[in-house]
Amino acid sequence: MSLLFRKPTIFNAKNVLLRQNDVQILLLTSKNFSAVPTIYDGESDPAPKFFSSNVQVLLKRLTRPDFNKVFRKRTNSGFPVLKTPQYKFLTTEQLEAEVAKSRARADQLLQMPPVVKVQTHIKEVLSRDPALIGFDTAKYMFTDITLGVDNQHRIIMERDTDGVLQSCDPDVRKRLNQIYFPIKGRKIKEPVMFTDPERFNSLLDREQYEFVLDRACIQYEPDEPSYQKITSVAYQHVDSRKNYGLLRSTRHFGPLTFYLTWHLSMEGLLLELLQNNVIREAVLLVALRQEVHGDVANGSAAQGLVAEIMNTPIQLSKPESLTEEDIQLDTKCIDCIEQYISANSSMKSQQELALQGFREFYQQLIDLSRGVRKAHGNA
Amino acid sequence: MSLPPASGTGRYFARAAKSIRLIRHGCTNRPFYHISVTHRRRLNSQPVIEQLGSYDPVPNMYNEKLVALNLERIKFWLGQGAHVSKPAAEVLGLSGFFPIHPHSYMTAWRNRQAEREKLAKEQEAQKAEEAK
């Protein structure tokens, strides 16, 4: 499916509606934002791409995990009394062990919601018994509550009023599963914030992306059409406002990047990376596009740089000083991005400008660090 | 008040006859049934051996009657030679676990008959009105 939302002002919503008449569309519009909800329903399945180890590594790195944000205090719902922090003297080994522990914990917190194709439902009829017509005016829903069966494989059947015994629709299944085996935080009825476009838009306008996406994760399964529609609109909103920073260091950044790359609309993100002087992540993004679509002119060069970039630490702030290896790597990155912009980019002028800005900034940085080294007598 | 465990609190005698029944819980004008296994000679008000499911005979807002069945445990108790009461057999029959109980067919047939008679009466009444 083609996605057409790069510049919201250009699109006439009616045109988009006409092109996508196979998908039931809830068009979300507000003052200066309009988006068409999309689902992964095309012929190609995103799951093998998303779960491939190369893509996972790139997405995790692009998330740029900052422990200050990952472990920030969110709510105190689980803790009636806030704990006082503990201060300890640790040996180096103990400190390393603690850091490794929190790294593992951060990995857990940053686990990405899976990106999969939308579900297909096949109705299975077990028996047709016309002699039961008129038995009752209500349907009977049968749920097998045997212990140790997961929600996907639980037997849930309905006996219709016309005597047909058959499997249920996915939304009914979900409701019955939630009745007998409730998931904490999930509601039996869809929350109004998802069903009422006005409230949903108001949340997006207030930039409560993380709240929306977290709640969508709890409320829906990743292969449900409603989940994919809601998240796609949120991602488009993030993209249109360039609010990528709000989702960085959260588990939603990976799916956001994958969504934008899948629909070939990651130019805004690339521009943001260039403007914030993280050229290495820009190369990772190009490599991601090459992994997903394989249509980048110098894709193999970008993929070659990935291994080198992965060995360097994550850039959370402006680097203090540059070693010669850093300078070499970044020069290669600049070349790679330059080629990408000239061959593949759909936002050429802006990105070229940003790249030029980065070059000047970087030259200053190089001069500074070389000068400092010279002053120390190491050059 | 905490609910009794699904494993039941009733005393268990291995060789006594068991029966799988619908046991009415809920309150006045609001029936709700537990599908439980208990000794055949025990009253419904007495503690059961094990609860095997539930049946809500009042349709919900989607016009559905909800039945939960722990099929694994039902199979176990049937293997132990438990008897099944008629209403329980009807519910299990509708679920496709048992063959449909003859009484279900009777009810369906009677309901259809009543419907037909009602329709015929209405038609007669209409004709009578038109003749006037």
Side-chain angles (χ1 to χ4, degrees), chain A residues 230-368:
Chain A
I230 285 163
T231 49
S232 69
V233 172
Y235 295 152
Q236 289 172 46
H237 199 275
V238 171
D239 190 42
S240 71
R241 287 209 188 173
K242 308 254 177 292
N243 273 331
Y244 309 106
L246 289 178
L247 286 186
R248 276 219 175 82
S249 302
T250 71
R251 58 188 181 142
H252 303 294
F253 196 81
L256 163 74
T257 318
F258 187 84
Y259 176 87
L260 296 176
T261 314
W262 183 261
H263 294 295
L264 290 175
S265 54
M266 18 67 85
E267 307 299 349
L269 180 56
L270 191 72
L271 182 65
E272 194 252 15
L273 290 173
L274 291 178
Q275 282 166 347
N276 290 333
N277 307 322
V278 261
I279 190 89
R280 293 179 192 175
E281 285 187 16
V283 174
L284 295 185
L285 189 61
V286 172
L288 178 66
R289 177 165 167 174
Q290 171 68 10
E291 286 283 346
V292 173
H293 293 290
D295 63 345
V296 182
N298 60 332
S300 48
Q303 280 173 324
L305 280 173
V306 168
E308 285 181 52
I309 295 171
M310 285 299 169
N311 289 330
T312 59
I314 298 169
Q315 291 176 325
L316 289 176
S317 55
K318 191 178 144 187
E320 293 276 312
S321 64
L322 293 168
T323 59
E324 287 304 318
E325 291 90 59
D326 278 339
I327 295 170
Q328 259 180 13
L329 179 57
D330 285 329
T331 326
K332 276 190 230 166
C333 289
I334 292 173
D335 290 342
C336 176
I337 291 297
E338 198 176 10
Q339 283 178 34
Y340 171 80
I341 291 173
S342 59
N344 292 80
S345 176
S346 58
M347 222 191 234
K348 267 181 198 157
S349 54
Q350 278 164 293
Q351 285 179 350
E352 265 166 14
L353 213 61
L355 189 64
Q356 192 51 42
F358 174 74
R359 274 209 193 96
E360 280 159 21
F361 160 82
Y362 199 67
Q363 194 53 49
Q364 279 178 8
L365 216 60
I366 291 174
D367 292 344
L368 180 70

Side-chain angles (χ1 to χ4, degrees), chain A residues 129-146 159 165 172 175-176 179-180 189, chain B residues 55 60-72 90-91 93-96 100 104-105 107-108 111-112:
Chain A
D129 204 339
L132 276 178
I133 294 172
F135 175 73
D136 207 329
T137 51
K139 275 188 201 174
Y140 281 75
M141 316 300 292
F142 297 97
T143 312
D144 176 19
I145 54 166
T146 303
R159 175 74 75 171
L165 184 66
V172 179
R175 176 154 53 80
L176 290 174
I179 286 172
Y180 291 111
K189 271 196 209 167
Chain B
Y55 166 49
N60 63 11
M61 60 186 285
Y62 306 103
N63 198 23
E64 297 164 348
K65 296 183 177 181
L66 302 188
V67 185
L69 301 167
N70 190 338
L71 292 180
E72 191 191 359
E90 271 198 73
V91 169
L94 288 174
S95 76
I100 303 274
S104 307
Y105 285 133
T107 319
N111 288 349
R112 289 201 300 269

Side-chain angles (χ1 to χ4, degrees), chain A residues 73 76 78-87:
Chain A
K73 286 204 183 68
N76 60 355
F79 321 95
V81 179
L82 285 178
K83 280 183 194 160
T84 41
Q86 284 189 351
Y87 295 91

Side-chain angles (χ1 to χ4, degrees), chain B residues 112-126:
Chain B
R112 289 201 300 269
Q113 178 83 353
E115 186 69 15
R116 269 199 300 274
E117 277 168 15
K118 199 180 137 201
L119 272 178
K121 248 186 203 173
E122 274 176 13
Q123 275 174 353
E124 262 178 39
Q126 249 184 356

